Amino acid sequence: MKKQNSFLLALFISVMTLQAQNKKELDKKELDKKSIKDMCGCFEVTFNFAETFNYSKDSLYKPSPNEVSSGLEWAEIITDEDNKIVIQHLLQVGNPAEPMIVKHWRQDWLYENTDFYSYNADNTWEFIKLPAAKVKGQWTQKVFQVDDSPRYEGSGSWVHVDGKNYWENTSNAPLPRREYTTRSDYNLTVRGNRVEITEFGWVHDQDNEKVIREAGKEDVILAKEKGYNTYVKVEDSRCAVAAKWWKDNGEKWSLVRDKWNRVYAKNKDLSLEEKVDNKPLYKFLFDEEKYTNKKSIDKVIDSFIK
């Protein structure tokens, strides 16, 4: 009888411990989701980039000039599920009375995701599948270009400690848009990303490396760069024009996402053309009259897939 009681007591303690652990993980996950959703709304955004160190052996090397730009950014949740949150960003710039809306980047957050497209220079992405144990409790941030083609992605744990809420990861990425039309001396950016929720909104803090990658050779770091982008929360009404634009155009871009999702679901390495008929993909898709249905959207995206 004593052995049976001991066994029942041990079983009870084990069950209670497991329940407590599950509750802790659930509470942590809810904190994670709140932090992700805190990146939504209307923000005054400032983008700051400065090249900090260079390692070029060329005495005529010229570092990139410091870049500072700003505007209003509307970030809207377009998918809100237990293990997936999708946020679409729109830039609202120009005359406040008649602002111009630019479809900006998109970020998908996936819980315990195992499927990745890792950038491998020269407009190619390598498909990688990680074991589930390696991403347990983690969130993947998948970042997409303005035309919803891939950009970079990586997994990490949200940290909630000492009043701070942040997520960190290092990922391979293409050259930023501000550089790839002006620089050809490197072909890969290794991005050190830190997303931190603050009292005023949130910050995207970056420590980046500009890398030369050639097949069969070790990567060469050409220079390092600091990025510090601040998102200061303002009244949503200031982004009303952007919110309306998305309401009017969101259906078209859901067709674009659906097409890309079918491409990604093949779980194969991906290589894309930079231009077709001397135009990048976003210039085709930003045509608000021609590319409006599934057939035309599928066709133009297929034309960029090698």
Side-chain angles (χ1 to χ4, degrees):
M1 187 70 176
K2 189 176 289 185
K3 284 185 178 181
Q4 185 178 10
N5 288 340
S6 297
F7 171 76
L8 291 174
L9 179 60
L11 181 62
F12 175 76
I13 292 173
S14 177
V15 169
M16 293 300 291
T17 301
L18 183 60
Q19 287 179 342
Q21 182 178 343
N22 289 341
K23 184 178 186 303
K24 185 177 180 180
E25 290 178 358
L26 182 63
D27 291 344
K28 164 70 166 52
K29 186 179 177 183
E30 291 305 311
L31 278 175
D32 296 348
K33 290 165 69 175
K34 180 182 183 304
S35 293
I36 294 168
K37 292 179 181 181
D38 281 346
M39 287 188 279
C40 296
C42 186
F43 299 89
E44 288 180 344
V45 59
T46 302
F47 305 102
N48 297 273
F49 292 94
E51 196 165 298
T52 53
F53 303 99
N54 79 74
Y55 307 96
S56 175
K57 296 178 181 178
D58 184 354
S59 61
L60 300 178
Y61 175 83
K62 290 185 178 181
S64 297
N66 292 358
E67 293 273 352
V68 180
S69 58
S70 60
L72 276 179
E73 182 134 323
W74 175 247
E76 180 173 334
I77 293 179
I78 57 176
T79 300
D80 187 1
E81 300 172 356
D82 188 43
N83 293 325
K84 181 178 182 179
I85 299 171
V86 178
I87 303 172
Q88 178 62 58
H89 291 252
L90 302 170
L91 273 177
Q92 183 173 305
V93 295
N95 182 354
E98 297 182 10
M100 179 175 70
I101 306 304
V102 180
K103 181 182 178 294
H104 208 193
W105 61 297
R106 189 182 103 230
Q107 53 175 329
D108 291 11
W109 289 88
L110 306 178
Y111 187 65
E112 296 185 343
N113 165 66
T114 58
D115 297 343
F116 295 84
Y117 279 91
S118 177
Y119 190 66
N120 195 32
D122 303 323
N123 234 27
T124 62
W125 286 259
E126 179 185 2
F127 177 74
I128 297 172
K129 192 171 189 69
L130 295 180
K134 194 164 185 178
V135 296
K136 182 173 175 56
Q138 295 185 355
W139 288 85
T140 297
Q141 183 199 43
K142 291 178 177 274
V143 173
F144 299 88
Q145 312 262 27
V146 297
D147 51 26
D148 289 319
S149 60
R151 187 154 180 76
Y152 66 89
E153 51 195 67
S155 185
S157 297
W158 275 92
V159 178
H160 311 284
V161 63
D162 296 336
K164 295 180 180 180
N165 302 281
Y166 63 89
W167 176 94
E168 292 180 327
N169 175 263
T170 299
S171 300
N172 292 343
L175 273 62
R177 188 170 298 278
R178 67 183 183 279
E179 296 247 298
Y180 77 73
T181 56
T182 59
R183 297 283 296 264
S184 58
D185 53 349
Y186 74 102
N187 60 350
L188 175 71
T189 305
V190 178
R191 301 179 61 121
N193 296 300
R194 178 184 172 103
V195 174
E196 181 168 358
I197 309 304
T198 66
E199 291 183 356
F200 62 77
W202 64 282
V203 169
H204 185 191
D205 191 357
Q206 302 168 52
D207 289 293
N208 302 329
E209 295 177 347
K210 300 179 180 183
V211 174
I212 302 167
R213 175 169 290 180
E214 296 182 70
K217 297 183 180 180
E218 286 192 15
D219 288 352
V220 175
I221 300 174
L222 180 68
K224 292 189 177 183
E225 174 189 72
K226 183 66 180 178
Y228 196 77
N229 303 338
T230 57
Y231 292 76
V232 179
K233 190 80 167 68
V234 296
E235 291 295 324
D236 285 356
S237 58
R238 291 185 58 188
C239 290
V241 176
K244 184 180 185 306
W245 187 94
W246 184 250
K247 185 177 181 181
D248 294 340
N249 292 275
E251 186 174 343
K252 165 188 171 172
W253 288 99
S254 71
L255 295 175
V256 176
R257 291 194 307 279
D258 287 346
K259 169 58 180 176
W260 278 117
N261 286 339
R262 295 197 300 275
V263 173
Y264 303 141
K266 294 178 182 178
N267 293 347
K268 294 181 179 180
D269 295 351
L270 181 63
S271 183
L272 301 177
E273 301 283 0
E274 289 190 11
K275 292 182 179 180
V276 170
D277 296 333
N278 208 32
K279 287 201 304 186
L281 178 58
Y282 76 89
K283 286 196 174 181
F284 288 95
L285 292 177
F286 278 16
D287 186 329
E288 296 182 5
E289 295 182 2
K290 189 171 182 181
Y291 297 95
T292 57
N293 58 60
K294 181 180 182 300
K295 184 177 179 180
S296 61
I297 288 169
D298 286 2
K299 184 177 180 180
V300 74
I301 291 175
D302 281 335
S303 72
F304 278 81
I305 299 173
K306 292 183 180 180

